[in-house]
Amino acid sequence: MARSSLTPNKRRRHFVWLSLQSLVALALSLLLLAAAAGIWPLPIMQRFEWLAYDWRVNATLPHQADPQIIIVDLDERSLYEVGQWPWPRERLAQLMHSLFEHYQLGMLGMDIIFAEPENNLLAHYWALQQARYPELAHIPAPSSGDQALAQALAQYPIILGYHFQSSVTDKDPPPLGLLPKALEPVTPEAAIWQQLAWITPKRYTANIPLLQTWAQGGGFFDNPLVDQDGVFRRVPLLQAYQQQLYPSLPLAMFLHLLGQPPVHLQVAMHLDRYQLEGLDIGGFQIPVDQAAGVYVPWYGKQGQFKYLSATDILHRRIPQDALVGSLAIMGATAPGLLDLRSTPVGNVYPGVEVNASLLAGLLHQNFRAHPRWMLGAELVSLILISLLTLFIFPRLQAFALFSFTLALTGTWLGFNWYFWQQGWILPVASGLVLIVSLSGWHLVMNFWRENQEKARVAHLFGQYIPAELVHEVIQHKQVLNLSGEQKELSVLFSDVRNFTQISESLTPHQLTDLMNQLLNELTQAIQQHRGTIDKYMGDAVMAFWGAPLQDTQHAYHAVISAFAMQEALTELNPKLSAEGKPNLTMGVGINTGTMHVGNMGSNFRMAYTVMGDNVNLASRLEGLTKIYQVPIIISETTRIHLQDKIPCRRLDQVRVKGRQQPIWIYQPFQPQQYTADFMQAYHAGLAAYQNAKFCEALAIFNQLQQESDPVAALYIQRCQTYLEQPPPADWDGVFSHTSK
């Protein structure tokens, strides 16, 4: 019992709750580990990861795109001046001539599909006339817009776009148009090829054969890798249609720019299966995921690339050197034609600018990607976080746990941010959710256990110390040890004078009521000044300071409490008089010194108390208050600990019963209870008395007695006695008291 205040049942209950806390924390860790490993995916974790990715993208936007990449914009002004879409293809051919002949454009990609032949009514009418009138057969038919556009495509480096469709239904038409020539990549053996997770579309909508045949190439601009929240983050560079690989529009432009170098597929073994990891194109290393997808390298909000209106180019309103050697992609931003996408950098973002961003990423090799070691690093990190929190969090209080959580979160985010700056995309959500969830769970459980501890401490100490100090006891857990220890404390004894005679004049009911009023007032005065009630002994009270709660000013608080007790008694007496009860007076003795404190008793009854010679001395000092007729007497050690915070006068040098060593005793005063002249005269008289100058001392004390000082009266009596019967020559001024 002396070693622990927890009973065996409470210890078992504490162990059960601590085990439950750890088991739930372990279950949370395993759940998030399973989600990270893909064993048990959690959709909400993926959404958190997307949000974290979007935030990082927006926090690191360069806001400066390649000025050599141009967007030829089919904007609203172009439709107003040239006509509604689709434009005559001969007019488009004129636009091509203007771009390449006048402006010396380097290359053009078409984010547009010409899936059907142009509906040329004049050519159709002339063909009918020739069939009706054979004599007109030798006259050439009007030129076709498709032929004019095909001639332009054959003449200039233009890459057409087309669209793959991931799934088909019975209502879908067959594939339209002609696909461009497929890539002939440097591939591994067929067995490895079959293991790669290609995107395999089911149909396509491409350009009419006449146009695609004469074009310099083609690339798809659809995106089957749109995330489930509808946001463009990844885009495939390759798709496999009927066992043939086809490039995206930006990749097709990039390949044409490099002179159609071979595309090397870089594969590696992962968990007994080959996966695509990158593309090597003419020495350019492009990191891709297993579906040949890349993260779009965003440069900023819409408008980071230079937009030039198609009508301005057609009518040559732009400076001639504005497009020299540039790469351009033609797309639409006009209402009704606008190809809008939801992206991390904007909910409304033109698809043509997505392709421009991809082309810039290919040219500058600034793609971010998941490292091949990402999954292993994530799982190891989550395991380390789980183990760390499992052993540390249950032992921390709320503030320390919160601080540790912030530090751990900052470390996790800091490492993630560092690798992001290096071009690696590492998971954020898994570690962040794990840290926050474990922290929240341990915080709740620790709060519950701390409340239980507070209730336990309140139960243990509520009978000793005031309730407002219980919180401090809990905050300083080192003082919860109730086993015995030697400690410097201040102890107080109080006793009502002549209480036996008073009690004999009261009925039992009156006596009980009087005791309750008295002890309530005295206890409140003690506990208001951080005192610990030791015991009540009838009308007497024993209290001490400095335990169980640490108090470096225990002597000062003990003396202040003694003042408060005397004042409480002074305020109580008028109430007692009104009730027909006698007035009370009280003596208080205080001593400071080393004593034994702790739980003492038997298996049947325990008490938290103090013992030792210094405790007995305080009791003796309380008894001396009757002799010196003063309310409070303190020892010299108590006075020294007061450090002159409270004025005191020397009462006497005495030898108390049970002690051979003489001590000085003092009376403390409140400031309003003395004057400097009185104190100076009193100490002069005491010094004369101690030096056996009894006549001089008698004269001083006679003057002080006029102020009704009971101590002066006592010394007058002693001086008169010593003048009649002088003390021996070796008299040391010590007065020996033989009674308690």
Side-chain angles (χ1 to χ4, degrees), residues 246-449:
Y246 294 88
S248 67
L249 177 61
L251 181 58
M253 295 177 67
F254 182 68
L255 289 169
H256 185 79
L257 185 67
L258 297 182
Q260 301 296 337
V263 177
H264 294 266
L265 303 181
Q266 298 174 330
V267 298
M269 177 71 72
H270 287 275
L271 301 176
D272 299 328
R273 184 179 180 86
Y274 285 100
Q275 291 185 6
L276 184 64
E277 288 191 342
L279 305 177
D280 183 346
I281 303 176
F284 286 85
Q285 303 295 322
I286 304 172
V288 298
D289 59 21
Q290 56 184 343
V294 294
Y295 282 90
V296 179
W298 306 105
Y299 290 89
K301 306 294 183 180
Q302 178 184 353
Q304 292 301 309
F305 293 90
K306 184 187 298 184
Y307 280 74
L308 298 179
S309 177
T311 186
D312 290 338
I313 296 172
L314 186 63
H315 296 94
R316 302 183 180 182
R317 299 170 182 156
I318 301 171
Q320 190 171 0
D321 58 352
L323 283 78
V324 175
S326 297
L327 308 177
I329 300 179
M330 180 183 293
T333 65
L337 300 179
L338 185 58
D339 180 23
L340 299 179
R341 301 287 184 263
S342 177
T343 70
V345 296
N347 292 329
V348 178
Y349 198 90
V352 64
E353 194 163 348
V354 174
N355 286 321
S357 299
L358 287 167
L359 179 58
L362 290 167
L363 293 174
H364 299 286
Q365 297 292 286
N366 62 344
F367 290 104
R368 285 188 170 91
H370 295 296
R372 66 179 64 182
W373 41 264
M374 181 189 72
L375 179 60
E378 181 183 14
L379 295 179
V380 170
S381 299
L382 295 181
I383 291 172
L384 290 177
I385 291 173
S386 300
L387 293 176
L388 188 64
T389 57
L390 185 64
F391 287 104
I392 293 180
F393 277 12
R395 295 168 172 79
L396 298 180
Q397 293 183 356
F399 180 77
L401 194 152
F402 182 73
S403 300
F404 192 88
T405 300
L406 287 181
L408 196 59
T409 302
T411 301
W412 176 262
L413 294 178
F415 275 110
N416 193 285
W417 185 258
Y418 170 78
F419 283 107
W420 175 269
Q421 298 290 353
Q422 308 307 311
W424 298 116
I425 304 174
L426 295 182
V428 175
S430 57
L432 200 59
V433 170
L434 179 63
I435 294 170
V436 172
S437 59
L438 290 181
S439 173
W441 168 248
H442 286 295
L443 188 63
V444 169
M445 291 303 295
N446 289 7
F447 180 75
W448 177 87
R449 288 194 289 113

Side-chain angles (χ1 to χ4, degrees), residues 185-196 198 243 265 267 269 274:
V186 179
T187 60
E189 54 269 24
I192 297 178
W193 170 274
Q194 296 298 328
Q195 294 185 31
L196 301 182
W198 298 111
Q243 302 295 317
L265 303 181
V267 298
M269 177 71 72
Y274 285 100

Side-chain angles (χ1 to χ4, degrees), residues 2 11-12 53 112 166 199 209 245-246 447 484 498 506 603-604 613 645:
R11 285 196 296 270
R12 284 194 294 269
Y53 172 81
I112 299 168
S166 298
I199 298 172
L245 285 181
Y246 294 88
F447 180 75
N498 302 318
L506 300 174
N603 291 333
F604 303 98
D613 184 56
K645 294 179 180 178

